Amino acid sequence: MAENLTSLIPIDLKRRAKDIINKAVLIASDAEKSNVKVIFGHNNRNTRQDKAFIKAIKNYSNVTLCQANNKSELINVSQLRNLAFRAVDTELIVLLDVDIFSDFALFIRCANEILNQSAPFHILPCLYLTKYGTNYLRKKKALKALKKNTSLFRVRNFCTWHVHHQSS
């Protein structure tokens, strides 16, 4: 029941803009294939990078863009999530960061368990990976094997957080 699920993602392009834009596009593409809505809470400083971000995601029918105009050096991620939350029109949400590898099949399965009252909610642990760790998993195509290794995490489901792929 993917149509009952929205993913909320705060976006601020103050640092690592190119990397964040690329990840946001991948998330939008994967979400569209899975029929999951995405709402980006975007801090629009009206920079070249902000304009590139808006252009890159505007053709995804499942994406909504909610924008704040905070010129401050400080990034208020909670404010961006709250801004995105106001545009939710589905029964369920998943809170993500742009650096989290979005496994929409997992999110949909968790959503179905909630809708079928098998679980009141889900909290998915997140594995933080360095640039080296991310590259290692990509080269070895080991992400699926890692996800199956329940003894390592003692939980069945988890997300991975890929960071610092590129500097902007």
Side-chain angles (χ1 to χ4, degrees):
M1 299 200 183
E3 63 276 357
N4 287 322
L5 183 62
T6 298
S7 175
L8 301 183
I9 305 169
I11 297 287
D12 188 290
L13 301 172
K14 178 78 175 148
R15 296 179 186 88
R16 300 179 21 246
K18 184 177 178 183
D19 180 44
I20 290 171
I21 292 168
N22 289 338
K23 289 176 182 175
V25 168
L26 285 174
I27 290 170
S29 177
D30 288 349
E32 190 163 276
K33 291 173 191 167
S34 299
N35 196 30
V36 173
K37 293 181 180 182
V38 174
I39 302 174
F40 289 110
H42 173 223
N43 186 26
N44 187 356
R45 290 183 164 94
N46 206 28
T47 65
R48 173 177 46 91
Q49 293 90 348
D50 290 303
K51 292 173 186 172
F53 169 69
I54 294 165
K55 182 178 179 182
I57 64 157
K58 73 177 181 179
N59 292 324
Y60 291 96
S61 61
N62 63 318
V63 171
T64 300
L65 186 60
C66 297
Q67 297 186 80
N69 295 304
N70 181 1
K71 306 289 186 199
S72 168
E73 291 294 314
L74 302 174
I75 302 166
N76 189 335
V77 175
S78 297
Q79 179 188 31
L80 296 174
R81 274 203 183 98
N82 289 342
L83 178 67
F85 184 75
R86 291 184 205 124
V88 172
D89 64 358
T90 59
E91 193 170 352
L92 300 172
I93 60 170
V94 58
L95 302 176
L96 295 177
D97 187 87
V98 73
D99 289 319
I100 293 178
F101 175 78
S102 302
D103 185 346
F104 286 106
L106 170 62
F107 301 151
I108 292 167
R109 190 174 80 233
C110 290
N112 287 335
E113 288 176 6
I114 293 167
L115 290 171
N116 294 327
Q117 299 181 348
S118 300
F121 61 89
H122 281 279
I123 297 174
L124 301 173
C126 185
L127 176 65
Y128 178 86
L129 296 175
T130 63
K131 182 178 179 180
Y132 171 80
T134 299
N135 289 337
Y136 177 82
L137 288 179
R138 283 184 177 158
K139 287 178 186 172
K140 301 291 183 182
K141 298 187 179 358
L143 190 57
K144 286 184 182 181
L146 183 62
K147 284 187 174 187
K148 289 181 183 177
N149 188 353
T150 57
S151 63
L152 178 61
F153 299 98
R154 297 184 189 181
V155 293
R156 191 173 46 149
N157 304 316
F158 69 93
C159 299
T160 55
W161 193 8
H162 303 270
V163 296
H164 304 297
H165 297 314
Q166 298 174 332
S167 297
S168 55

